[in-house]
Structures are given as structure tokens and as C-alpha cells.
Amino acid sequence: MKIVGLNLDIVWKNKAENFRIIENELQNQQADIFLLPEMFSTGFCMDAAEVSDRNEESLEFLKKISKEKNTAFCGSAPVEQNGHFYNRMYFVQPDGETLFYDKRHLFSFSGEDKVYTPGNKRVIVNYQGVRFLLQVCYDLRFPVFARNNDDYDAILYVANWPEKRVGAWEHLLKARAIENLAFVFGLNRIGTDGNNLFYQESSHCFFADGKEISSKNGNRVSAELDMDELNDFRTHFQFLNDRDDFSIRL
């Protein structure tokens, strides 16, 4: 399975322009899944009442481009629903089937927890025989929530993780892969946002042993997920059998 992530320089609060850039960047690209950054349509913005989708604008865009390219798309967007705001990660399939995950761990350092409502469940998507755990940015710092209960094969992280803390991002992505015997694809944005925070290119995909398996071409990062290789590795190193037994209270 091939995944291509777009290192998007998100235009601040401009959905139409971000949609145009995404379509242009991926025009001649092929993949089984295209991955977009956290809040790909607006940037990581706390002005939720101003920028949040009320008519599923970002979701409709994902459905449109997914159908056109006959490829799954995944990324997060700010959404208003029933008077609450969510940082919602969509996984859209070419036939329009959609699953979503609402970011559980809200970034209190930026005040995200004062504006957005946390999700209350883990979401795993089974697509083309690969089981994906959906996660957003700050979730990366909480390994208990992402613990592999032998129920997923890969984690997809989408983020707006600034350059000043990028070392933590890169180390934790690798750690999540190793401790969970899983592929981990972490897609970060690039450029400078409306809060004058800079984001360096720092997207990666790691195999279950911590080896980087992604390659980069322009603003795109790609990786091939080989399930036979993963299953062989898990058969040889059965570390998940020794994991602690616990439940998470959400």
C-alpha cells in the first residue's frame, strides 16, 4: 500500500485557496491514501467560530477529490456540530464512505482545550486490509491512548507541530512505531502560520523497528506499507504478547 502525504504550507484561514493548492499539488500523483495535515483547510486556528465548517466544506472537498482520484483521503479540519467545535480527522474513501476521529488530547498550551471539545473514542479504520489508528498532533505525547491492543497495523498522525519542538515530534513518532510494532506515518505542515510560528519539513514514516521507510519529492512524502514484512516482524518479535493489561477511561 502506498501512502503519499502533502507537506502543505497552509494558507491562513483560506479554505478555497488551500483546496486549490491541494488539488494542484496532487494533480498527477497516485497513491492508495493521500494524507493532509492537521486543519489543512485553515491552519491550526483558535478562532473556531470564524473558521469552523458549518456546512461540511472540508469534508465535501475530500469526498470530491477522493472520488475524482479514486483514492482515499485523510486529514483534519475544524468543525462545528451541535454548538460545539471539534478538531475532526476524516478518513474518506472513493465511494464516499467516511469515518472520523475527533482529537482527544487538546493542546492546552495554545488554549485549544478552551475552544474545542475533545473526542471520546479511539477510531480504527480498516482500508484495503490495513488497520489504521487515527491520531492528531498532540495525541502523539500520550502513548497510553495509542497503545496497540493488537487491533491496528499503522498509526496516521496529522499535525501542525512547530519547528521549536520538532525534536520531540520526530523522536516520539519513532517511539510509537517501536513500542506498538506498527507503521507510523506522521505528516506535519510546513511554512509560517498566522501566529508567526514556523514549521520545518519534518514528515516521516517509520517501520515497526524504528527504521525510516519514507522518501521525499518536493512537497510530498511517500511510503510503501508492506504488510507481509510487518507480519513477519511481528511473528519473530512477539513483544505485544507481553504488553500490560489495562483499560482507558475516556
Side-chain angles (χ1 to χ4, degrees), residues 2-6 26 30-31 33-35 185 220-223:
K2 182 179 181 180
I3 301 179
V4 172
L6 179 60
L26 301 180
Q30 292 183 327
I33 300 172
F34 284 111
L35 196 58
F185 200 128
R220 294 173 296 277
V221 55
S222 62

Side-chain angles (χ1 to χ4, degrees), residues 66-215:
S66 177
K67 182 178 180 180
E68 289 174 352
K69 296 187 73 64
N70 194 33
T71 300
F73 271 78
C74 183
S76 97
V79 175
E80 182 180 7
Q81 183 177 355
N82 299 325
H84 295 275
F85 301 108
Y86 299 93
N87 187 344
R88 179 163 292 175
M89 185 177 183
Y90 291 112
F91 191 101
V92 178
Q93 301 182 29
D95 63 1
E97 182 178 349
T98 302
L99 291 173
F100 68 84
Y101 160 69
D102 290 330
K103 185 179 182 181
R104 172 65 183 171
H105 299 95
L106 302 178
F107 191 44
S108 57
F109 187 74
S110 72
E112 186 182 19
D113 60 321
K114 302 295 192 299
V115 180
Y116 293 89
T117 298
N120 58 13
K121 62 180 180 180
R122 286 197 347 164
V123 175
I124 294 171
V125 175
N126 194 325
Y127 185 67
Q128 294 187 1
V130 182
R131 301 168 299 170
F132 294 96
L133 176 68
L134 305 185
Q135 299 276 271
V136 180
C137 202
Y138 193 44
D139 286 328
L140 180 61
R141 288 188 179 271
F142 302 92
V144 173
F145 187 64
R147 190 63 171 124
N148 193 350
N149 295 313
D150 206 16
D151 54 358
Y152 68 78
D153 307 303
I155 313 177
L156 300 178
Y157 284 100
V158 296
N160 278 211
W161 198 293
E163 178 269 341
K164 61 180 66 177
R165 294 185 293 276
V166 77
W169 159 258
E170 294 178 328
H171 282 87
L172 291 173
L173 286 174
K174 184 179 290 190
R176 295 296 87 81
I178 294 169
E179 70 196 10
N180 292 301
L181 291 185
F183 298 104
V184 170
F185 200 128
L187 181 73
N188 202 7
R189 67 157 293 170
I190 59 172
T192 302
D193 71 11
N195 294 314
N196 205 35
L197 291 173
F198 176 68
Y199 303 81
Q200 73 179 59
E201 195 290 309
S202 54
S203 297
H204 303 276
C205 186
F206 296 105
F207 184 63
D209 62 357
K211 174 182 62 181
E212 174 131 21
I213 60 171
S214 53
S215 60

